[in-house]
Amino acid sequence: MSELVVVDAGRYGTKTVADGVRDWFPSVIGEYRELKLTRPWTHHDMLVEFNGEKYYVGEIARKESSGAATLMLDTKVTFDTKLLILTALHRTLPADSTAIVVTSVPIASQNELEKLHMKKLLLGTHTIEVNGEEKTFHIPRVEVGIECAVAAWSLGKHRKGHFLGVDIGSRTVNFTAIMNGQWVDRLSGTLPFGTETEKISPTLFVRMIIAELSRRVKPLPPLVLMGGKARDLLDHFQTYTAVEVHHDPLHANADAMYQFWKEELAHEASKTVVEV
């Protein structure tokens, strides 16, 4: 039986949601080197071996790797994404599990070619070792969701009217307009900057977001903020417009995608039973 696992491999952190599991670790990958001084390891420190190479992943990469980095490329179809997702599966599932993996890309990257490349990146059987424990996973199916859009749509099922979901990431800011439970494509998109790309004050960063949103969406509806820095930026947004923070801004995308695909898989199973 396949396990449904959602992995939102963001540039700042990798969020995982599965049955009974909610996990997070920093999306930092660095070179491995033997440590001369022993130190206590935390849940966010991982020595990962994959395809014959060793890496530090998570907090230990940030502290101990000279080349520790988080990629800020336009595409998320990269080796880094694959390593982060397989590491997340290792933290979530027992060895030799079969998993339906759901991940996501920004609204601006949402096209059939990007989705196809992401699926090719992850499909198949993969063996990975984390902190000395080797596991093999079988991934027969990959689905690619839309960052911000699914989370905003999920909120929209329970509220009327017009609002704008705003997902503040490290490299991009995604926004999705919801009107009476339905998203509006022409009022949704991706801003090409994020919390890690602009070395300016939070006040000016939020002003940049408001300037772009107010130019693209008129009139500007109430905002619902998502992303790991949402609560930190709330006061700055309140200067300009009506705004609130998602009840779980860090896992907003992963939670929504998990619920969506859990229902979708149940629907597919019921159709199969009827057809048989």
Side-chain angles (χ1 to χ4, degrees), residues 48-96:
V48 175
E49 184 167 355
F50 181 63
N51 285 349
E53 298 288 339
K54 290 183 179 181
Y55 310 87
Y56 282 139
V57 176
E59 196 60 42
I60 190 170
R62 200 194 321 266
K63 293 178 178 177
E64 299 291 358
S65 297
S66 300
T70 298
L71 291 183
M72 293 292 176
L73 299 173
D74 290 342
T75 181
K76 292 181 76 173
V77 184
T78 64
F79 172 80
D80 282 32
T81 297
K82 184 175 185 176
L83 191 69
L84 293 170
I85 289 176
L86 292 179
T87 300
L89 293 182
H90 191 289
R91 291 164 62 94
T92 303
L93 299 175
D96 205 35

Side-chain angles (χ1 to χ4, degrees), residues 8 15 17 22 148 150-152 154-155 167 225-227 246-258:
D8 179 7
K15 290 80 66 179
V17 175
R22 291 164 62 78
C148 185
V150 178
S154 180
L155 284 177
D167 184 9
L225 305 182
M226 309 171 204
H246 188 282
H247 60 272
D248 188 348
L250 183 63
H251 283 87
N253 284 305
D255 279 338
M257 288 190 292
Y258 182 79

Side-chain angles (χ1 to χ4, degrees), residues 52 112 119 131 182 213 236 246 250 270:
E112 291 305 314
K119 291 178 181 182
N131 292 344
Q182 298 292 324
L213 294 181
H236 301 282
H246 188 282
L250 183 63
S270 66

Side-chain angles (χ1 to χ4, degrees), residues 125-150:
T125 297
H126 310 280
T127 299
I128 187 170
E129 182 179 302
V130 178
N131 292 344
E133 182 181 7
E134 184 179 280
K135 294 183 181 181
T136 296
F137 301 106
H138 313 282
I139 306 177
R141 178 173 176 179
V142 174
E143 298 295 342
V144 183
I146 315 172
E147 292 173 8
C148 185
V150 178

Side-chain angles (χ1 to χ4, degrees), residues 203-264:
T203 300
L204 291 177
F205 176 68
V206 169
R207 184 174 179 273
M208 286 177 62
I209 295 174
I210 292 294
E212 287 295 324
L213 294 181
S214 60
R215 182 174 66 84
R216 300 172 189 226
V217 185
K218 298 179 180 180
L220 192 64
L223 309 183
V224 179
L225 305 182
M226 309 171 204
K229 298 294 181 69
R231 289 196 174 95
D232 296 338
L233 297 173
L234 175 61
D235 289 347
H236 301 282
F237 276 97
Q238 287 177 332
T239 303
Y240 299 100
T241 188
V243 60
E244 64 182 273
V245 174
H246 188 282
H247 60 272
D248 188 348
L250 183 63
H251 283 87
N253 284 305
D255 279 338
M257 288 190 292
Y258 182 79
Q259 289 304 318
F260 177 87
W261 281 104
K262 184 178 180 181
E263 294 172 10
E264 184 68 18

